[in-house]
Amino acid sequence: MRFSLRRTLLGLLVMVVLQLTVYYWVVAPDRRGRSPSLTRLTPLPRQDRDGPGTCDVKKCPEVKEGMINVHLIPHSHDDVGWLKTADQYFTGEYPKSKGGDIMYTEGMQCVRCVLSSTIRNLLLNPDRRFIFMEMAFLSRYWNEIDDRVRQQIKRLIESRQLEIVLGGWVMSDAAVTYYNDIIDQHTLGFDFIHKTFGPCAQSRVAWHVDQFGHSREHASIFSKMGYDGLFVGRVDFQDLAVRKKTKTLEFVWETSPNADDYSGNLFTQTTFDGYYAPRGFVLDGVENLFKGSRELENTLEFMNIVRERANAFRTNHLLLPMGSDFGYRVAGDWFKNMDKLIELVNAKQTEGKKKVIERERKINLLYSTPSCYLQHVHNSNLTWAVKTDDLHPYAIAPGAYWTGYFTSRSGQKLLVKHAGATLQACKQLGIFSRLKDSFDRTNVLRKAMAVMQHHDAITGTEKQHVSDDYNHMVSEGMLQCQSVISEAYNKMLETPEERRHYQFSFCPELNISSCPPTENGGKVVILVYNALSRPLNTWVRLPVTRQSVSVRGSKGEEVPSQLTAIPSGVSRLPRRSSESDTEVVFPAMLPAMGYTSFVLSTSQESAGGQIPMRTNTGKADIVMENKHLKVTFDGQTGRMKALENLSSKRSTKLSQDMAYYRAVQSGYRSSGAYVFIPEKELPHRVGGTDPVSVRYYQGELVQEIHQQFCPWVSQVVRLYKDSRHLEIQWTVGPIPTNDNQGKEVVSFFVSDLKSGGKFYTDSNGREVLERRLNHRETWNLTVVDAISGNYYPVTSRIFIQDVARDTQLTILPDRSQGGSSLYDGTLELMVHRRLLFDDALGVGEALNEQEGNDGITYTGKHYIFLDNIHNSAVLTREKALENHFSPTLTFLPLTSNSDSILTNMPKKSFLNKPLPNNVQVLTLDYTSDNHSTVYLLRLEHFYEKGESPILSTAATVKLQNLFSPFEVTEAEEVSLGGNFNPGTLKRHQWTTDNHHVNTPSIASSDYNELMESPFIVKLKPMEIRTFRVYVSGPSSSSLFFS
Ligand SMILES: [Zn+2]
């Protein structure tokens, strides 16, 4: 993580707290006196027959029977940051240094210009159409234009000349994103569309043309949001060739084996050749394509292209993207040429028989949109090929598998995780404490998190200065959210007699063991908030500088604690300003959706807190053991050699090493930000065959093996008391490049499990997909890249199974990483990459992140589970949730006159009673109306069918008294994106070659439009249901002591 702006941010935090204090005393009393009102909001959109998003179909252009109808799709592909920041792309301006002054120069990419030029050009000709995707840009444009232009846009949307396809805040990446974040970023976009343009503006087509491969889970989310079709632009070159030959570029994707009635099925097209206009017809800067002799030449050329492409499709319709990256800055170039092209080609169809073209299929060109195209394909009543796996990994050619970005910019990927957890806590605490003005502050992080899901943000495929800008934006959002959390705690602490204005602080660098409030000595109150809707038993680790430490719990009781050494790799990090070399570790039992508090006291007076340490002087094996697990390290080599689960009686030989692949950096393409191109050889152990130096810290609460593999790679293997998994904290960097060799570092596990060439990875953190080595489900794979071609995105977990031994080995990373199982019984996860060359795919920079004058060092965690197959499913699902909703820690140093209220804060859960063990609150959020008595609530069943005889069954939740701060008085179910009533929607039905027909409804079989108290909700495996809940007003009693 790069928090280079730390001091500035701390300064900003102080300012925010000061402002809050001012707000609290000046503004808040009036607001607080107001009595709550329960006003129903505008009802959700309802349509007569076909539901929202189909309002467009009646306005589709005419087509001609018997001809190839070519649907020209004018569009501009506008990345929300890539080579320039999102802001630079929007304004078209970028800073250019000139003689010490910063000048602003207009660049070729300017989304503001695209929109204004396109709108003017659409108004000139009612036949012209245009599609737009990113609400991050459209909402910004909307905010700066006058009412005249706003009315023009509304009319263009109504006439369907301008169609919003997709409608997310950004076009999210499909590999390394987490499902909750994907849903949230679309909800944000849909909110804007619905509020600004009404329900008809949202098309039911997903345009996902630049993702680097595509996940099944993202497609599944689209189906549940009510989309009828998905267009993807990038699939493996081998897959694409087969699909062209077999006319299966269009298919029905069965996106969820857990969805009943094939409701997860989604019609999908992989475009013929990406999203650009055909070569020679990219029209930016082209004044007249048809000058003189070029008129006939270009017309015939275009017709040849159309015929070639049409042959790969089964209907008389061809979708033809007419766009480019940031195209349409001068939209007239495109539209004038396309007007002419349509006129010329269509005129050819009516000329006499002497024309050669008469023997060919006739062509009808028209301006169109993806939803109009889809309607005609649907009307063709064909049956379609089926796909049940996903579209990862993606390769454009031999030696170019886009599997490097699964790991690229590892720190940024972790920042997204931390920010996501903070956002959940911030939303929940703001709502539970009934803050009335926290919506806008929360929105800063909500929007930043949405932008981070963009396919050149979280992927790490942007330029360094753009990555810096993203990190800055997220840090800003986190500061705003921290101010909400502080205010929420203050509000909870107040009594009728006294208001509070404590200045809480946060430790964003806790992952590198830096936290000034706990290192400064004295007494510190620590509030730990658990955003999970289940109780959580976890461990808190905090850096301290004094040697005598005591921890007390919320009732003043003593909490057992232990000191341990901060890993040497971490304490040496150049960006770490902390002097501390010791951490205190203590257990925290956190209530569901609630908090507990601790008081940490440190002093130098007593010497009671020595770190228990044993250096491995002999050559005997070292064994770490608790009541569940036993892990053995070889006394000779210092490396792990066996893992045993004592409870479930499962064991395996298990060695673990850190190793690196040497990056290919010659020839046409080098390994880079997108692609992973290793030399064709086994990975090299870091430190060679030398023994690993080992220190063993044997404490009551946690045992740790500190291993130093070589000067730039170290790790700690931890076994906590009673823990059912092993934790490995790796620290890697600076990766040496003095040999001019880029390196890609993996953590490599070798077990004796017979995994039979199969392994499993999650899809966007949710359903699990089986992977088979050197195999693809729908075509015969020619193996050209045995390593990178078998890498898959691991968002939350990867595992192998030995079915005969009923044994599963699972690894959960703390952020998205690339992973594989390349040999029987092995698992590997790539943790860090440092590369010296660009991969010639556009970014134009080597992925060589710097810190000071050297490569950056990262530290992170892997959680290792060995258990029987059933236990593994349950334990790892729970741990994956915990990783995503990790606890939020808030600190308050106690001064001598701090009152006792802080040292006696009781535990508090905002849930009245626990949810069933297979259900969680996925979302508790404000609605975009920012109404203090209406919230968005998503409940999720987080098990798949067949994972557990008990937990994979349906569950029931009553909404009425679910939360303690308020009662749910009304509830209405909405679609997954929160933007319409699911009972009103009828999706297209598609028949597959194996006779599966999807149900047209996306509503749950249990859906009831008129929900009555106590609002009982039933959830089936993997089902997510979304509600708008209307709740009782705030009570006047103290939330804290109720
Ligand atoms: Zn893009």
Side-chain angles (χ1 to χ4, degrees):
M1 277 173 58
R2 298 192 134 218
F3 282 103
S4 56
L5 296 162
R6 184 172 157 269
R7 286 210 175 81
T8 323
L9 296 185
L10 281 172
L12 272 170
L13 175 63
V14 172
M15 278 168 61
V16 169
V17 173
L18 281 173
Q19 280 177 352
L20 268 179
T21 313
V22 171
Y23 159 80
Y24 211 78
W25 290 108
V26 178
V27 184
D30 287 340
R31 287 178 165 253
R32 289 173 63 249
R34 200 176 293 162
S35 65
S37 63
L38 180 61
T39 319
R40 259 201 105 115
L41 300 178
T42 323
L44 283 159
R46 305 177 56 82
Q47 264 68 38
D48 299 332
R49 223 163 45 82
D50 294 330
T54 48
C55 323
D56 55 327
V57 175
K58 296 163 198 116
K59 293 167 185 163
C60 284
E62 297 266 308
V63 295
K64 292 196 171 149
E65 288 300 319
M67 290 192 181
I68 306 169
N69 289 286
V70 182
H71 297 250
L72 301 178
I73 311 292
H75 77 102
S76 177
H77 182 76
D78 300 334
D79 291 309
V80 186
W82 179 37
L83 308 179
K84 296 180 188 173
T85 67
D87 190 60
Q88 289 165 351
Y89 275 144
F90 180 78
T91 61
E93 293 168 345
Y94 61 96
K96 212 173 186 182
S97 185
K98 198 178 175 187
D101 295 329
I102 300 288
M103 311 281 288
Y104 284 88
T105 313
E106 185 154 316
M108 289 305 289
Q109 302 89 9
C110 168
V111 179
R112 175 193 278 153
C113 316
V114 169
L115 283 165
S116 51
S117 178
T118 299
I119 288 156
R120 280 198 306 276
N121 274 277
L122 289 175
L123 292 167
L124 294 175
N125 176 351
D127 290 339
R128 292 175 177 172
R129 309 246 170 173
F130 189 76
I131 59 170
F132 199 78
M133 277 63 70
E134 296 86 4
M135 293 309 104
F137 285 139
L138 190 59
S139 65
R140 180 164 174 185
Y141 184 68
W142 187 258
N143 286 336
E144 65 177 32
I145 53 178
D146 62 25
D147 195 52
R148 185 184 56 89
V149 184
R150 287 182 173 189
Q151 294 310 321
Q152 287 173 342
I153 294 178
K154 281 188 173 176
R155 281 199 297 277
L156 288 171
I157 287 179
E158 270 164 30
S159 67
R160 222 62 194 180
Q161 272 189 271
L162 179 61
E163 181 173 312
I164 296 172
V165 294
L166 192 63
W169 200 247
V170 299
M171 199 185 281
S172 42
D173 166 67
V176 297
T177 43
Y178 194 76
Y179 66 99
N180 198 8
D181 299 334
I182 295 170
I183 295 168
D184 281 353
Q185 80 92 357
H186 283 88
T187 304
L188 190 64
F190 296 164
D191 269 348
F192 167 74
I193 296 166
H194 186 252
K195 269 169 74 175
T196 316
F197 307 113
C200 273
Q202 172 71 52
S203 133
R204 293 204 336 243
V205 168
W207 183 260
H208 246 211
V209 290
D210 197 24
Q211 279 65 11
F212 324 141
H214 215 282
S215 74
R216 196 179 72 183
E217 189 61 37
H218 207 312
S220 170
I221 289 169
F222 281 145
S223 75
K224 285 159 195 160
M225 286 177 166
Y227 289 97
D228 274 321
L230 166 66
F231 293 84
V232 300
R234 295 179 180 275
V235 295
D236 184 297
F237 67 100
Q238 294 184 31
D239 191 7
L240 187 68
V242 172
R243 289 185 180 281
K244 283 179 180 173
K245 214 183 278 176
T246 56
K247 294 198 178 192
T248 51
L249 287 164
E250 295 181 319
F251 53 89
V252 169
W253 202 345
E254 298 197 351
T255 64
S256 174
N258 290 281
D260 289 342
D261 306 330
Y262 307 105
S263 61
N265 286 16
L266 187 67
F267 179 88
T268 304
Q269 177 187 116
T270 63
T271 59
F272 189 92
D273 184 21
Y275 58 87
Y276 260 62
R279 196 183 297 260
F281 295 87
V282 176
L283 302 170
D284 298 302
V286 178
E287 241 172 65
N288 185 359
L289 191 66
F290 305 99
K291 226 183 229 169
S293 65
R294 289 176 60 202
E295 179 178 311
L296 185 63
E297 200 181 306
N298 282 332
T299 308
L300 293 177
E301 166 69 10
F302 194 81
M303 290 168 72
N304 284 338
I305 291 169
V306 164
R307 290 207 171 90
E308 187 209 350
R309 293 190 179 198
N311 280 337
F313 290 90
R314 296 174 60 207
T315 71
N316 281 336
H317 296 270
L318 175 70
L319 177 133
L320 211 129
M322 290 298 290
S324 62
D325 285 357
F326 300 94
Y328 293 74
R329 182 168 159 270
V330 182
D333 290 349
W334 285 86
F335 284 115
K336 273 188 247 161
N337 280 307
M338 281 191 290
D339 287 349
K340 187 80 182 162
L341 180 66
I342 291 170
E343 185 191 313
L344 288 168
V345 172
N346 289 353
K348 288 259 176 248
Q349 315 311 317
T350 52
E351 287 174 12
K353 280 187 180 176
K354 60 189 177 204
K355 294 284 174 193
V356 183
I357 52 160
E358 189 63 19
R359 291 199 299 273
E360 308 269 3
R361 291 165 74 189
K362 287 186 172 181
I363 294 170
N364 176 40
L365 286 198
L366 59 143
Y367 283 117
S368 187
T369 68
S371 63
C372 291
Y373 169 80
L374 193 68
Q375 180 70 26
H376 290 291
V377 172
H378 183 250
N379 291 347
S380 67
N381 280 327
L382 297 173
T383 63
W384 300 95
V386 186
K387 183 170 182 62
T388 56
D389 61 338
D390 66 356
L391 292 165
H392 286 304
Y394 165 60
I396 49 169
Y401 275 88
W402 294 38
T403 50
Y405 80 95
F406 301 157
T407 300
S408 296
R409 296 195 190 278
S410 181
Q412 189 169 284
K413 286 179 166 72
L414 183 68
L415 179 64
V416 171
K417 276 284 190 200
H418 280 190
T422 304
L423 180 59
Q424 303 300 336
C426 166
K427 292 193 285 198
Q428 291 181 14
L429 277 165
I431 287 171
F432 288 140
S433 64
R434 313 304 292 267
L435 295 186
K436 284 188 177 171
D437 69 331
S438 60
F439 178 78
D440 288 342
R441 278 180 287 159
T442 311
N443 231 6
V444 181
L445 188 54
R446 196 184 274 112
K447 286 181 179 172
M449 274 294 286
V451 169
M452 289 313 294
Q453 310 310 314
H454 163 56
H455 58 269
D456 283 309
I458 191 170
T459 50
T461 54
E462 67 280 43
K463 279 191 185 287
Q464 183 61 49
H465 79 99
V466 178
S467 171
D468 293 343
D469 184 66
Y470 285 139
N471 291 354
H472 182 71
M473 184 181 65
V474 172
S475 301
E476 284 265 337
M478 285 180 69
L479 274 183
Q480 294 293 326
C481 254
Q482 287 163 4
S483 84
V484 171
I485 293 169
S486 296
E487 193 184 335
Y489 280 136
N490 270 308
K491 189 168 175 202
M492 290 177 203
L493 278 165
E494 75 185 22
T495 59
E497 298 79 42
E498 201 177 354
R499 290 191 196 99
R500 309 284 165 181
H501 50 98
Y502 295 112
Q503 294 192 12
F504 293 97
S505 53
F506 297 81
C507 292
E509 292 186 330
L510 207 49
N511 72 310
I512 54 167
S513 299
S514 175
C515 181
T518 62
E519 292 169 46
N520 291 342
K523 280 189 174 182
V524 187
V525 175
I526 303 145
L527 290 166
V528 187
Y529 184 76
N530 174 26
L532 274 175
S533 49
R534 49 199 303 104
L536 177 64
N537 290 345
T538 187
W539 296 88
V540 175
R541 299 180 75 91
L542 300 167
V544 290
T545 48
R546 313 294 161 110
Q547 288 302 302
S548 174
V549 173
S550 81
V551 180
R552 293 196 176 273
S554 59
K555 290 180 184 152
E557 78 282 12
E558 193 166 331
V559 175
S561 64
Q562 182 196 322
L563 294 180
T564 186
I566 290 174
S568 59
V570 172
S571 59
R572 284 202 302 266
L573 288 173
R575 65 182 176 282
R576 184 171 179 268
S577 52
S578 167
E579 294 289 312
S580 165
D581 59 4
T582 309
E583 278 180 331
V584 60
V585 182
F586 59 90
M589 283 152 52
L590 308 177
M593 287 186 122
Y595 57 81
T596 191
S597 68
F598 299 93
V599 178
L600 171 73
S601 310
T602 54
S603 73
Q604 279 174 319
E605 285 160 14
S606 125
Q610 289 303 314
I611 302 175
M613 184 181 95
R614 260 179 30 191
T615 308
N616 188 30
T617 47
K619 295 296 177 194
D621 288 352
I622 308 171
V623 176
M624 290 201 299
E625 185 174 336
N626 69 11
K627 68 181 182 190
H628 299 298
L629 289 176
K630 178 177 167 185
V631 55
T632 308
F633 290 80
D634 188 301
Q636 304 285 332
T637 66
R639 290 180 166 88
M640 190 187 293
K641 71 175 204 184
L643 180 61
E644 187 178 349
N645 189 317
L646 305 167
S647 313
S648 61
K649 311 270 185 293
R650 297 293 187 278
S651 64
T652 178
K653 288 179 186 165
L654 185 66
S655 71
Q656 182 267 342
D657 240 307
M658 300 299 277
Y660 64 85
Y661 290 102
R662 292 191 310 157
V664 163
Q665 45 190 34
S666 59
Y668 174 67
R669 200 183 301 285
S670 301
S671 198
Y674 297 90
V675 292
F676 166 38
I677 316 177
E679 295 284 358
K680 290 182 176 161
E681 57 191 13
L682 285 168
H684 302 259
R685 267 184 180 174
V686 303
T689 50
D690 293 349
V692 174
S693 91
V694 169
R695 284 168 173 235
Y696 178 26
Y697 296 91
Q698 189 182 31
E700 286 290 311
L701 302 180
V702 61
Q703 305 170 60
E704 298 187 341
I705 299 279
H706 291 221
Q707 296 171 301
Q708 188 79 42
F709 288 85
C710 70
W712 55 278
V713 178
S714 61
Q715 72 178 21
V716 179
V717 184
R718 294 193 179 104
L719 184 62
Y720 285 99
K721 187 171 182 243
D722 300 341
S723 174
R724 301 181 69 168
H725 64 267
L726 207 59
E727 175 180 304
I728 297 183
Q729 181 178 0
W730 49 267
T731 304
V732 175
I735 298 173
T737 51
N738 44 10
D739 54 356
N740 291 322
Q741 176 61 57
K743 299 178 184 68
E744 325 217 14
V745 181
V746 293
S747 182
F748 202 94
F749 295 79
V750 182
S751 75
D752 61 13
L753 301 188
K754 299 273 178 291
S755 53
K758 286 185 190 170
F759 58 107
Y760 301 82
T761 59
D762 67 283
S763 186
N764 303 110
R766 202 147 190 272
E767 291 180 351
V768 169
L769 282 161
E770 180 187 286
R771 311 295 189 182
R772 284 167 65 187
L773 200 62
N774 297 325
H775 176 85
R776 303 289 188 267
E777 201 175 286
T778 58
W779 86 93
N780 290 326
L781 177 71
T782 304
V783 179
V784 283
D785 296 272
I787 302 167
S788 58
N790 282 303
Y791 256 66
Y792 289 89
V794 180
T795 310
S796 81
R797 57 203 173 280
I798 181 168
F799 57 87
I800 49 174
Q801 294 178 337
D802 187 328
V803 179
R805 283 157 63 184
D806 184 21
T807 303
Q808 177 172 322
L809 177 67
T810 314
I811 307 175
L812 280 73
D814 59 354
R815 73 202 78 184
S816 295
Q817 290 172 339
S820 189
S821 169
L822 295 174
Y823 312 92
D824 215 34
T826 69
L827 279 172
E828 63 187 270
L829 279 166
M830 187 182 289
V831 298
H832 192 7
R833 325 175 68 210
R834 187 179 183 193
L835 304 167
L836 304 177
F837 293 86
D838 174 49
D839 53 14
L841 290 165
V843 75
E845 280 180 7
L847 183 73
N848 185 0
E849 295 174 273
Q850 298 289 301
E851 181 175 32
N853 296 320
D854 207 342
I856 195 165
T857 300
Y858 285 128
T859 184
K861 288 176 182 169
H862 288 155
Y863 306 95
I864 322 298
F865 291 81
L866 179 78
D867 216 314
N868 64 42
I869 291 171
H870 167 250
N871 283 354
S872 296
V874 176
L875 292 171
T876 58
R877 286 237 172 245
E878 289 182 353
K879 184 66 185 168
L881 287 182
E882 183 190 330
N883 284 350
H884 186 66
F885 290 84
S886 58
T888 300
L889 275 64
T890 309
F891 302 88
L892 184 69
L894 282 178
T895 52
S896 55
N897 57 356
S898 288
D899 34 12
S900 62
I901 193 169
L902 286 164
T903 49
N904 289 299
M905 300 207 302
K907 260 188 192 189
K908 173 91 185 169
S909 170
F910 297 108
L911 277 184
N912 268 332
K913 59 177 184 179
L915 287 163
N917 282 336
N918 46 10
V919 173
Q920 70 151 342
V921 174
L922 184 64
T923 309
L924 180 63
D925 201 351
Y926 300 91
T927 61
S928 60
D929 315 86
N930 184 20
H931 201 285
S932 63
T933 53
V934 188
Y935 301 124
L936 192 73
L937 172 68
R938 282 194 190 93
L939 293 174
E940 175 194 25
H941 190 305
F942 61 92
Y943 282 89
E944 295 196 50
K945 284 179 184 170
E947 279 185 322
S948 158
I950 300 161
L951 297 166
S952 296
T953 55
T956 303
V957 178
K958 279 184 204 164
L959 302 186
Q960 186 177 19
N961 294 314
L962 185 58
F963 302 107
S964 62
F966 42 73
E967 186 184 330
V968 171
T969 55
E970 284 184 70
E972 61 182 324
E973 186 156 6
V974 293
S975 61
L976 182 61
N979 54 337
F980 57 85
N981 179 334
T984 60
L985 180 78
K986 267 169 88 178
R987 291 173 73 214
H988 285 330
Q989 286 186 283
W990 306 89
T991 307
T992 62
D993 287 345
N994 54 357
H995 313 295
H996 295 165
V997 184
N998 62 290
T999 164
S1001 173
I1002 55 159
S1004 168
S1005 53
D1006 191 40
Y1007 169 76
N1008 188 345
E1009 192 179 342
L1010 294 170
M1011 294 184 75
E1012 285 176 12
S1013 69
F1015 313 111
I1016 294 170
V1017 176
K1018 200 170 164 191
L1019 293 125
K1020 288 175 289 188
M1022 280 286 124
E1023 193 171 30
I1024 300 175
R1025 295 182 68 178
T1026 310
F1027 302 88
R1028 294 224 294 192
V1029 292
Y1030 301 74
V1031 310
S1032 54
S1035 70
S1036 55
S1037 63
S1038 164
L1039 280 157
F1040 212 72
F1041 296 104
S1042 57

